[in-house]
Amino acid sequence: MTKILPFKAVRPTRAYAGLVASRSYEDYSEEELKAQLEYNPYSFLHIINPGYKFQHEIAGEKRFGMVKNRYLEFKEEHIFEQDEQACYYIYKIKTRETSCCGIIAAASAEDYKQEVIRRHEDTIAHREELFKDYLKVVGFNTEPVLLTYPDNTVINDLLDKRMKSRPEYEFATYNKETHSLWLIDDPENIQQIKEQFGAMEKLYIADGHHRSASSYLLAKESKENNPDHTGKEAYNFFMSYLISESNLRIFEFSRLIKDLNGHSKEEFLILLDEWFRIENRGHEVYKPSKKHHFNMYLDGEFYSLYLRKTNYTFTDSLSELDSYILYENILKPILGIEDLRNDKRIAYIHGRNDIIELKTRVDKGEFAVGFGMLPAEIAEIKQIADENLTMPPKSTYIEPKLRNGLTIYEF
């Protein structure tokens, strides 16, 4: 059983919502970031980049404290106000290609600990601690963990009915997305949602493994330091965006490698031949259409690589994952890439970007070779999580990506 609760969000008043909402900090180019900070005083970027006010770079705990100060200023100026009643929040994103919606709510840190909320990626301990310390100082979280659940008719019908009314927020963005938010504050609907999630045996993290882990560390530390702990305190939960599996969009990451690890082109192809049936596609832009098929771009030409299944043994769900096959048979043994997170010889392009970017970067000489594959499927992700296995880094790029600053969870 999962515990998914409503909460009293701190959020922008209706007039400021479109101005406050921002993409993830890392998504902005240097020019975009400068323009937002210079011309939009209401952007949430001012909170997470507090040094801009003083034209000074600030890092570490000093930055954490100043993030909190900027946040409090937004509250004092009534740009942000807190809801008086605990709500669930429906968030819908409509793009040029598709639309999706889900529920923003509070998920249980204990459910994460007990693996009721399941993960499929490893986390890095120092990043967990760093973000835990950040949360502890600022006292709020604005970037929800993306959780997914099997499609549920009761929840779908409830959302559809609520979305027929006027949204609390509705605004468009420069990249031609429309963002809408509704409040679910009716006690009967709240109880229905709580019961539907409570009947689910498990949920899966789609995106936000470090945020989940850090939130659990904060809950654990706060519990240990609170002699009056009851389990109902806000620190026992973390903000999440719960989305049905059919609303989830999963993309792959292509891999770019700077060199062939001392091999000539011919030697490299011979080494690949042990594990893959290779076909030179020349200038034909090739993208795989089946699992265990890969595309490769090398020396101005595309290649298809088909896994030789007579040579390769599938032992568990992880061994069948294409990103794992690529790592175990090419990246590590042939190209010498052991550390997929930190090795400077490897870079990634997520599948939202065109294969032409991969070709262009190789043609420019930035990289020697590029590899692509089909995206993982949700069934694969769940099976790997259920077997307590972890996928290689950058195995999935998952959407939707929410805007920061529209709902804030305080603890």
Side-chain angles (χ1 to χ4, degrees), residues 119-124 128 209-210 341 390-391:
R119 62 179 190 164
H120 62 267
E121 289 183 6
D122 274 332
T123 52
I124 302 172
E128 292 178 19
H209 286 78
H210 281 91
R341 293 188 190 275
T390 54
M391 300 166 72

Tab-separated table of all heavy atoms in Angstrom, residues 119-124 128 209-210 341 390-391:
chain	number	residue	atom	x	y	z
A	119	ARG	N	13.040	1.967	-7.254
A	119	ARG	CA	13.979	2.702	-8.094
A	119	ARG	C	14.651	1.761	-9.092
A	119	ARG	O	14.688	0.539	-8.898
A	119	ARG	CB	15.051	3.367	-7.225
A	119	ARG	CG	15.907	2.393	-6.438
A	119	ARG	CD	16.951	3.120	-5.628
A	119	ARG	NE	17.910	2.174	-5.060
A	119	ARG	CZ	19.098	2.521	-4.569
A	119	ARG	NH1	19.459	3.785	-4.589
A	119	ARG	NH2	19.912	1.619	-4.085
A	120	HIS	N	15.201	2.349	-10.148
A	120	HIS	CA	15.908	1.545	-11.146
A	120	HIS	C	17.295	2.119	-11.455
A	120	HIS	O	17.984	1.631	-12.338
A	120	HIS	CB	15.097	1.454	-12.448
A	120	HIS	CG	14.869	2.774	-13.120
A	120	HIS	ND1	13.748	3.533	-12.898
A	120	HIS	CD2	15.618	3.475	-14.002
A	120	HIS	CE1	13.815	4.635	-13.616
A	120	HIS	NE2	14.945	4.624	-14.299
A	121	GLU	N	17.690	3.173	-10.725
A	121	GLU	CA	19.013	3.774	-10.931
A	121	GLU	C	19.771	3.840	-9.617
A	121	GLU	O	19.173	3.983	-8.548
A	121	GLU	CB	18.888	5.202	-11.489
A	121	GLU	CG	18.419	5.285	-12.918
A	121	GLU	CD	18.386	6.714	-13.434
A	121	GLU	OE1	18.843	7.625	-12.702
A	121	GLU	OE2	17.896	6.924	-14.550
A	122	ASP	N	21.090	3.772	-9.712
A	122	ASP	CA	21.942	4.018	-8.546
A	122	ASP	C	22.034	5.516	-8.288
A	122	ASP	O	21.878	6.333	-9.198
A	122	ASP	CB	23.356	3.471	-8.789
A	122	ASP	CG	23.459	2.001	-8.430
A	122	ASP	OD1	22.691	1.557	-7.550
A	122	ASP	OD2	24.298	1.300	-9.023
A	123	THR	N	22.303	5.859	-7.045
A	123	THR	CA	22.542	7.253	-6.685
A	123	THR	C	23.959	7.402	-6.161
A	123	THR	O	24.601	6.426	-5.778
A	123	THR	CB	21.541	7.732	-5.620
A	123	THR	OG1	21.549	6.817	-4.523
A	123	THR	CG2	20.143	7.807	-6.197
A	124	ILE	N	24.444	8.636	-6.140
A	124	ILE	CA	25.796	8.930	-5.669
A	124	ILE	C	25.686	9.540	-4.281
A	124	ILE	O	24.988	10.541	-4.077
A	124	ILE	CB	26.503	9.901	-6.639
A	124	ILE	CG1	26.538	9.294	-8.043
A	124	ILE	CG2	27.908	10.229	-6.154
A	124	ILE	CD1	27.032	10.244	-9.110
A	128	GLU	N	23.549	12.843	-2.761
A	128	GLU	CA	22.432	12.696	-1.827
A	128	GLU	C	22.617	13.612	-0.618
A	128	GLU	O	21.689	14.317	-0.204
A	128	GLU	CB	22.341	11.249	-1.335
A	128	GLU	CG	21.948	10.235	-2.368
A	128	GLU	CD	21.938	8.835	-1.777
A	128	GLU	OE1	21.885	8.716	-0.531
A	128	GLU	OE2	21.978	7.861	-2.540
A	209	HIS	N	15.727	10.143	-8.815
A	209	HIS	CA	16.264	9.203	-7.830
A	209	HIS	C	17.056	9.907	-6.726
A	209	HIS	O	16.939	9.556	-5.548
A	209	HIS	CB	17.147	8.159	-8.533
A	209	HIS	CG	16.370	7.141	-9.308
A	209	HIS	ND1	15.827	7.409	-10.546
A	209	HIS	CD2	16.029	5.860	-9.018
A	209	HIS	CE1	15.198	6.332	-10.984
A	209	HIS	NE2	15.313	5.383	-10.085
A	210	HIS	N	17.858	10.900	-7.086
A	210	HIS	CA	18.630	11.597	-6.057
A	210	HIS	C	17.724	12.430	-5.151
A	210	HIS	O	17.953	12.514	-3.940
A	210	HIS	CB	19.708	12.473	-6.703
A	210	HIS	CG	20.908	11.705	-7.145
A	210	HIS	ND1	21.019	11.176	-8.416
A	210	HIS	CD2	22.041	11.355	-6.481
A	210	HIS	CE1	22.174	10.529	-8.514
A	210	HIS	NE2	22.822	10.621	-7.363
A	341	ARG	N	29.513	7.836	-15.643
A	341	ARG	CA	29.135	9.146	-15.104
A	341	ARG	C	30.245	10.173	-15.259
A	341	ARG	O	29.987	11.337	-15.550
A	341	ARG	CB	28.772	9.035	-13.611
A	341	ARG	CG	27.529	8.245	-13.310
A	341	ARG	CD	27.192	8.374	-11.833
A	341	ARG	NE	26.137	7.451	-11.446
A	341	ARG	CZ	24.842	7.703	-11.584
A	341	ARG	NH1	24.454	8.841	-12.119
A	341	ARG	NH2	23.942	6.807	-11.198
A	390	THR	N	19.921	-2.235	-11.175
A	390	THR	CA	19.993	-0.820	-11.540
A	390	THR	C	20.506	-0.674	-12.965
A	390	THR	O	21.420	-1.379	-13.395
A	390	THR	CB	20.911	-0.035	-10.584
A	390	THR	OG1	22.190	-0.658	-10.513
A	390	THR	CG2	20.312	0.040	-9.194
A	391	MET	N	19.905	0.243	-13.676
A	391	MET	CA	20.275	0.491	-15.060
A	391	MET	C	21.553	1.304	-15.123
A	391	MET	O	21.860	2.066	-14.197
A	391	MET	CB	19.141	1.239	-15.758
A	391	MET	CG	17.835	0.470	-15.769
A	391	MET	SD	16.396	1.478	-16.223
A	391	MET	CE	16.702	1.718	-17.969
